[in-house]
Amino acid sequence: MRLVILDNSDEVSIWNAKYIRKKIHDFKPGPNRYFTLGLPTGSTPLGTYKKLIEFYKKGTLSFRYVKTFNMDEYVGLPRDHPESYHSFMWNSLFKHVDILPENAHILDGNAPDLQKECEEFERKISEAGGIELFIGGIGPDGHIAFNEPGSSLASRTRVKTLAMDTILANARFFDNDLTKVPRQALTVGVGTVMDAREVMIIITGAHKSFALYKAIEEGVSHMWTVSAFQLHPRTIFVCDEDATHELRVKTVKYFKGLMEIHNKLIQEDEQPEAEKQ
């Protein structure tokens, strides 16, 4: 397990985007070899998406041979609703880069058979060869995707009823009207994310510092589903200083002492794609 501690959320976004770019470049994707990327929604990854768009516009990154699988989607919210995760992903990333629409997979919260939709999503991930890098954010209660406290750590993609804390947190996107916030969502399971070859968890802000503490310094618990990734062979947590407030000083010093090693993970030749061919 790695923990990368950066000064602020802007630095987190830059570091994340460079890391994702390098993983794609090192994979050398092509027509018969797609890089598979698991993606989150919410405010946490927005800065990362902006940097990825910037890299694409500069010619240093292409999504032509990338397949994406999003973590979750609300049940019953129209696809074109401004707060649907389909709208979020297209407005925040997909329409600004060269990904092919058929390669951007998002769960359909309006499918006639929600259970079948979840099973099909798992099948599509498997057919794509599994996820190379799954990126996730967390809630203040340590949930990843919509795997609320108490979720099985072996769970797969399924319908999930949202906890009141999550509904309250998401109300800001629905005019602070709780009656407008969907009560259910389709979500990948903890086990689905654990199957990825690598997992990156982004944690920023003091309001998530206790969740980071639970994820890093305490044991694995289904009440803090993010803690499951202690068991993953290749997990990287990326956080800002504010998110470390609940960690022991010794823990912070140890991981900060590894930053020279961590920064080597994002070093690469930044030649534009066109010049490499």
Side-chain angles (χ1 to χ4, degrees):
M1 182 187 72
R2 299 179 186 270
L3 174 61
V4 178
I5 303 172
L6 298 155
D7 288 344
N8 53 58
S9 59
D10 287 340
E11 288 193 13
V12 168
S13 297
I14 294 168
W15 199 96
N16 289 342
K18 287 183 176 180
Y19 188 81
I20 295 164
R21 179 176 63 181
K22 188 172 191 305
K23 296 299 291 188
I24 294 173
H25 285 172
D26 289 351
F27 188 82
K28 296 180 173 58
N32 300 309
R33 180 176 163 81
Y34 281 77
F35 186 88
T36 49
L37 189 61
L39 295 175
T41 52
S43 56
T44 301
L46 276 175
T48 299
Y49 292 160
K50 287 178 182 177
K51 289 302 297 184
L52 291 174
I53 293 166
E54 182 181 313
F55 291 161
Y56 165 71
K57 290 181 176 179
K58 287 181 177 179
T60 65
L61 179 62
S62 172
F63 288 83
R64 177 64 179 78
Y65 299 114
V66 173
K67 291 184 179 181
T68 64
F69 291 87
N70 262 81
M71 281 191 151
D72 39 32
E73 177 60 286
Y74 289 117
V75 168
L77 207 61
R79 182 173 171 171
D80 59 356
H81 189 285
E83 296 304 331
S84 77
Y85 289 159
H86 184 278
S87 294
F88 176 94
M89 287 308 305
W90 282 96
N91 292 331
S92 301
L93 178 62
F94 295 152
K95 74 179 184 182
H96 304 288
V97 297
D98 59 342
I99 192 168
L100 298 178
E102 61 267 29
N103 291 332
H105 300 92
I106 303 174
L107 286 155
D108 181 1
N110 295 287
D113 186 334
L114 295 178
Q115 181 57 40
K116 184 178 179 181
E117 172 68 11
C118 294
E119 292 171 358
E120 283 293 300
F121 200 70
E122 290 277 346
R123 182 185 61 79
K124 289 175 184 176
I125 291 174
S126 180
E127 287 182 349
I131 305 292
E132 290 296 325
L133 175 62
F134 220 131
I135 302 163
I138 66 168
D141 60 2
H143 75 260
I144 184 162
F146 278 126
N147 293 287
E148 305 284 32
S151 295
S152 167
L153 300 184
S155 56
R156 312 304 302 189
T157 304
R158 66 208 188 286
V159 182
K160 190 70 178 173
T161 299
L162 305 186
M164 182 52 66
D165 282 350
T166 301
I167 293 170
L168 290 170
N170 290 347
R172 67 187 189 277
F173 302 119
F174 294 87
D175 303 319
N176 289 312
D177 185 346
L178 293 180
T179 64
K180 295 181 180 180
V181 184
R183 264 37 182 183
Q184 288 186 316
L186 303 184
T187 181
V188 296
V190 178
T192 310
V193 183
M194 285 288 288
D195 280 351
R197 281 175 272 283
E198 185 170 5
V199 179
M200 172 191 277
I201 309 294
I202 310 169
I203 306 176
T204 57
H207 64 301
K208 295 184 180 178
S209 59
F210 194 70
L212 179 61
Y213 156 70
K214 286 286 188 178
I216 297 292
E217 293 189 345
E218 292 217 335
V220 175
S221 169
H222 65 293
M223 297 307 294
W224 297 83
T225 52
V226 67
S227 67
F229 298 100
Q230 294 177 28
L231 302 177
H232 195 284
R234 297 187 67 189
T235 297
I236 184 164
F237 290 87
V238 188
C239 70
D240 60 4
E241 279 282 353
D242 286 346
T244 68
H245 288 176
E246 296 288 343
L247 296 181
R248 295 181 180 91
V249 172
K250 185 177 181 180
T251 301
V252 174
K253 284 186 175 181
Y254 171 75
F255 284 107
K256 277 192 169 182
L258 299 176
M259 278 309 298
E260 184 176 345
I261 295 171
H262 291 160
N263 283 334
K264 288 180 180 178
L265 299 173
I266 61 174
Q267 290 175 0
E268 66 172 338
D269 178 9
E270 295 192 13
Q271 246 183 314
E273 291 290 311
E275 295 179 16
K276 293 181 181 180
Q277 298 174 2

